Structures are given as C-alpha cells and as structure tokens.
Amino acid sequence: MKKGVIALLILIAGALAYFVITAGNQAQPPPPPPTPSPAETKPPAVLNTSTAMPTAAETPAIKSYEINYSHVITVYIGDIALKMSGWTVEGVGEYGNYSFGKLVLNIPPQGPVEITYKAATEGRTVYVVTCASGQCQAGAGPANYTSFLNLKGDSRAEKGSCSHLGLAGRLYEERGRISPETLSQILSDLSVNGTGVFTAVVCEAGGVPLTTSANVYLNVTLYGQVLTIKLIVDSSAVSISAYNSTRYKLLLTEAKAAQRASA
C-alpha cells in the first residue's frame, strides 16, 4: 500500500476522532473555572445510566450531559477496504464542552493503528490533541466546529419517530456537500484537495444525536493521485449520564498544555 494512502487513512481516522464529538455544539461563555483536580480520563467500563431522563412522547431539550458513543467505520479507497472501531465520550455543560476517545484502524500487514484524542472548549475556542502511531498533534479552532459525522446538510427531512436508551426522539435524514475548505480542515496535514457528499440518518432526542448512520463519498487528489473514498459510519450512544465538570477541567488543562508543548 502506498505511503500516501496509509497516511490518508490514518489522518481520516484521526479526523473522525476529532470531528465525531459535537454536531455544531457551541460552548456558552463559561465562568472562570476553579483549579482542576486530578481525575482519570478513561471512561468507566459502564458509565452511569441511572440519571433521570424524560421518556415522554418527545424528549425535551437536553442541555447538559455526558454520552459514551460506540463507532464502527468502514473506509473504502479503490479496492482497499479497512474497518475502524472504537468509542468516544462527549460532554456538554455549563463550563464548556469536552470529549475524548479511541479508534483502532487495522492496516495489513502493519497491524492495528490506534488513534486517540482529547478535546475541550474554553469560551469560543476548542483545544484538541490527536495521537496516531505514537505521533501527537495539537491544534485549536472555533468552538462551534462542525462534526464530520453530523455535517450540517443542504437538506434536512424528518422521517418519523425513534427511540434509544429510553429516550423518545425524531428521525432525520441529512444530505449535503463537503466543501474543499472543510476537507482541507479535516486533512490539514496532507497536500490534499477535493470535495465530497454525504447522507446521514440520525435519531435525535432533546437535540442530542443518539444514533447516526452515514455514507460519505470523497473525491480527492493526494500528491497528484486521484482517489475516490467512501466511508460507512455507524455510531450509537451506549450510555448517557450527568456532565462531569472535573473531567472537563482536566481535559482542558491537558489539551492546552499540548498546544504549549508543540509551539
């Protein structure tokens, strides 16, 4: 497999880890947080699912939460098909948003490549550190960045009702295009240009995506090589619990420290 294609796959996986966490959520300007205290950033084996959540005909808006998602992502590049799987945790609350997670991509004959990331918002800025194959990259950007898995489509059609984790919601179909600017942001470390389209079916309750099934098609040019890429994405919330302010403070501290270290 060509080195450029391998790099593209790894960066796609890293970008998915980066962009999977919020669907256009914008942090509210937070009050100055207290000094973070040490906390474990790995998710518990089973997150608390006992938090009282509405189960009425339609779930009211959920303003504060922590959700653990599982993901299965299949990437097709030409006649190459590779599968990624993993988890992410997303928190939205009064101080700011946070997330972290891990995806594993198996690239024969090299074996599994692990992609991890941590991210947290402060005011209108998000700080992110993504690591793949032992190499870490830190970056910062607008806090209302778009989710790669929940891109804001040119059209959004309601398809009926749905429920997940005991929450009643609505099913939506999103269709749209991925601009050269968005693709450049996602794959900022490669000399790549192109465009894409996507279709996503989302079960949303209280304004929160609970399940996502998406097909993404990309036409890109990488170092002069024209590639057609297809991604099939299946994401599902496996638990939902209360916003964890201690976790937010620690992740923000670590993500900002990574920015200083890379400067």
PDB file of all heavy atoms in Angstrom, residues 45-60:
ATOM      1  N   ALA A  45     -15.870   1.374  32.748  1.00  0.00           N
ATOM      2  CA  ALA A  45     -16.297   0.259  31.915  1.00  0.00           C
ATOM      3  C   ALA A  45     -17.763   0.389  31.543  1.00  0.00           C
ATOM      4  O   ALA A  45     -18.170   0.135  30.421  1.00  0.00           O
ATOM      5  CB  ALA A  45     -16.050  -1.065  32.642  1.00  0.00           C
ATOM      6  N   VAL A  46     -18.592   0.808  32.491  1.00  0.00           N
ATOM      7  CA  VAL A  46     -20.001   1.080  32.226  1.00  0.00           C
ATOM      8  C   VAL A  46     -20.332   2.423  32.843  1.00  0.00           C
ATOM      9  O   VAL A  46     -20.242   2.580  34.060  1.00  0.00           O
ATOM     10  CB  VAL A  46     -20.916  -0.016  32.826  1.00  0.00           C
ATOM     11  CG1 VAL A  46     -22.369   0.335  32.565  1.00  0.00           C
ATOM     12  CG2 VAL A  46     -20.577  -1.384  32.256  1.00  0.00           C
ATOM     13  N   LEU A  47     -20.657   3.391  32.003  1.00  0.00           N
ATOM     14  CA  LEU A  47     -20.998   4.699  32.532  1.00  0.00           C
ATOM     15  C   LEU A  47     -22.354   4.646  33.215  1.00  0.00           C
ATOM     16  O   LEU A  47     -23.202   3.812  32.902  1.00  0.00           O
ATOM     17  CB  LEU A  47     -21.031   5.731  31.406  1.00  0.00           C
ATOM     18  CG  LEU A  47     -19.672   6.078  30.784  1.00  0.00           C
ATOM     19  CD1 LEU A  47     -19.872   7.038  29.637  1.00  0.00           C
ATOM     20  CD2 LEU A  47     -18.732   6.676  31.809  1.00  0.00           C
ATOM     21  N   ASN A  48     -22.564   5.542  34.150  1.00  0.00           N
ATOM     22  CA  ASN A  48     -23.822   5.582  34.894  1.00  0.00           C
ATOM     23  C   ASN A  48     -24.990   5.883  33.975  1.00  0.00           C
ATOM     24  O   ASN A  48     -25.013   6.886  33.277  1.00  0.00           O
ATOM     25  CB  ASN A  48     -23.726   6.677  35.963  1.00  0.00           C
ATOM     26  CG  ASN A  48     -25.032   6.857  36.697  1.00  0.00           C
ATOM     27  OD1 ASN A  48     -25.823   5.920  36.795  1.00  0.00           O
ATOM     28  ND2 ASN A  48     -25.252   8.048  37.223  1.00  0.00           N
ATOM     29  N   THR A  49     -25.975   5.010  33.936  1.00  0.00           N
ATOM     30  CA  THR A  49     -27.153   5.219  33.108  1.00  0.00           C
ATOM     31  C   THR A  49     -28.393   5.461  33.950  1.00  0.00           C
ATOM     32  O   THR A  49     -29.507   5.436  33.453  1.00  0.00           O
ATOM     33  CB  THR A  49     -27.408   3.993  32.203  1.00  0.00           C
ATOM     34  OG1 THR A  49     -27.605   2.841  33.042  1.00  0.00           O
ATOM     35  CG2 THR A  49     -26.244   3.747  31.271  1.00  0.00           C
ATOM     36  N   SER A  50     -28.200   5.728  35.242  1.00  0.00           N
ATOM     37  CA  SER A  50     -29.341   5.889  36.128  1.00  0.00           C
ATOM     38  C   SER A  50     -29.850   7.329  36.201  1.00  0.00           C
ATOM     39  O   SER A  50     -30.844   7.597  36.840  1.00  0.00           O
ATOM     40  CB  SER A  50     -28.970   5.424  37.542  1.00  0.00           C
ATOM     41  OG  SER A  50     -27.921   6.219  38.053  1.00  0.00           O
ATOM     42  N   THR A  51     -29.124   8.264  35.532  1.00  0.00           N
ATOM     43  CA  THR A  51     -29.565   9.646  35.539  1.00  0.00           C
ATOM     44  C   THR A  51     -30.981   9.743  34.974  1.00  0.00           C
ATOM     45  O   THR A  51     -31.274   9.196  33.919  1.00  0.00           O
ATOM     46  CB  THR A  51     -28.619  10.514  34.692  1.00  0.00           C
ATOM     47  OG1 THR A  51     -27.310  10.397  35.226  1.00  0.00           O
ATOM     48  CG2 THR A  51     -29.045  11.968  34.703  1.00  0.00           C
ATOM     49  N   ALA A  52     -31.857  10.422  35.679  1.00  0.00           N
ATOM     50  CA  ALA A  52     -33.244  10.513  35.235  1.00  0.00           C
ATOM     51  C   ALA A  52     -33.331  11.280  33.930  1.00  0.00           C
ATOM     52  O   ALA A  52     -32.853  12.401  33.815  1.00  0.00           O
ATOM     53  CB  ALA A  52     -34.090  11.202  36.300  1.00  0.00           C
ATOM     54  N   MET A  53     -33.895  10.658  32.910  1.00  0.00           N
ATOM     55  CA  MET A  53     -34.069  11.274  31.613  1.00  0.00           C
ATOM     56  C   MET A  53     -35.525  11.123  31.185  1.00  0.00           C
ATOM     57  O   MET A  53     -36.143  10.088  31.423  1.00  0.00           O
ATOM     58  CB  MET A  53     -33.156  10.613  30.559  1.00  0.00           C
ATOM     59  CG  MET A  53     -31.696  10.962  30.749  1.00  0.00           C
ATOM     60  SD  MET A  53     -31.369  12.698  30.356  1.00  0.00           S
ATOM     61  CE  MET A  53     -29.666  12.825  30.905  1.00  0.00           C
ATOM     62  N   PRO A  54     -36.109  12.140  30.547  1.00  0.00           N
ATOM     63  CA  PRO A  54     -37.510  12.072  30.149  1.00  0.00           C
ATOM     64  C   PRO A  54     -37.762  10.938  29.169  1.00  0.00           C
ATOM     65  O   PRO A  54     -36.929  10.633  28.326  1.00  0.00           O
ATOM     66  CB  PRO A  54     -37.758  13.423  29.473  1.00  0.00           C
ATOM     67  CG  PRO A  54     -36.666  14.299  29.968  1.00  0.00           C
ATOM     68  CD  PRO A  54     -35.487  13.409  30.204  1.00  0.00           C
ATOM     69  N   THR A  55     -38.901  10.284  29.272  1.00  0.00           N
ATOM     70  CA  THR A  55     -39.289   9.230  28.347  1.00  0.00           C
ATOM     71  C   THR A  55     -40.674   9.518  27.785  1.00  0.00           C
ATOM     72  O   THR A  55     -41.423   8.615  27.444  1.00  0.00           O
ATOM     73  CB  THR A  55     -39.275   7.856  29.043  1.00  0.00           C
ATOM     74  OG1 THR A  55     -40.146   7.915  30.188  1.00  0.00           O
ATOM     75  CG2 THR A  55     -37.887   7.477  29.486  1.00  0.00           C
ATOM     76  N   ALA A  56     -41.046  10.787  27.697  1.00  0.00           N
ATOM     77  CA  ALA A  56     -42.353  11.180  27.189  1.00  0.00           C
ATOM     78  C   ALA A  56     -42.392  10.979  25.678  1.00  0.00           C
ATOM     79  O   ALA A  56     -41.441  10.513  25.064  1.00  0.00           O
ATOM     80  CB  ALA A  56     -42.631  12.636  27.550  1.00  0.00           C
ATOM     81  N   ALA A  57     -43.537  11.375  25.075  1.00  0.00           N
ATOM     82  CA  ALA A  57     -43.702  11.194  23.642  1.00  0.00           C
ATOM     83  C   ALA A  57     -42.554  11.850  22.870  1.00  0.00           C
ATOM     84  O   ALA A  57     -42.120  11.340  21.852  1.00  0.00           O
ATOM     85  CB  ALA A  57     -45.040  11.766  23.202  1.00  0.00           C
ATOM     86  N   GLU A  58     -42.090  12.973  23.345  1.00  0.00           N
ATOM     87  CA  GLU A  58     -40.929  13.605  22.725  1.00  0.00           C
ATOM     88  C   GLU A  58     -40.069  14.207  23.823  1.00  0.00           C
ATOM     89  O   GLU A  58     -40.552  14.968  24.659  1.00  0.00           O
ATOM     90  CB  GLU A  58     -41.346  14.674  21.722  1.00  0.00           C
ATOM     91  CG  GLU A  58     -40.189  15.159  20.875  1.00  0.00           C
ATOM     92  CD  GLU A  58     -40.655  15.948  19.655  1.00  0.00           C
ATOM     93  OE1 GLU A  58     -41.848  15.879  19.334  1.00  0.00           O
ATOM     94  OE2 GLU A  58     -39.810  16.638  19.069  1.00  0.00           O
ATOM     95  N   THR A  59     -38.803  13.851  23.835  1.00  0.00           N
ATOM     96  CA  THR A  59     -37.908  14.272  24.903  1.00  0.00           C
ATOM     97  C   THR A  59     -37.646  15.776  24.845  1.00  0.00           C
ATOM     98  O   THR A  59     -37.266  16.299  23.797  1.00  0.00           O
ATOM     99  CB  THR A  59     -36.575  13.514  24.796  1.00  0.00           C
ATOM    100  OG1 THR A  59     -36.836  12.110  24.814  1.00  0.00           O
ATOM    101  CG2 THR A  59     -35.645  13.875  25.942  1.00  0.00           C
ATOM    102  N   PRO A  60     -37.832  16.502  25.950  1.00  0.00           N
ATOM    103  CA  PRO A  60     -37.495  17.931  25.973  1.00  0.00           C
ATOM    104  C   PRO A  60     -35.991  18.135  25.742  1.00  0.00           C
ATOM    105  O   PRO A  60     -35.199  17.195  25.827  1.00  0.00           O
ATOM    106  CB  PRO A  60     -37.902  18.365  27.386  1.00  0.00           C
ATOM    107  CG  PRO A  60     -38.844  17.323  27.859  1.00  0.00           C
ATOM    108  CD  PRO A  60     -38.412  16.044  27.213  1.00  0.00           C
TER     109      PRO A  60
END
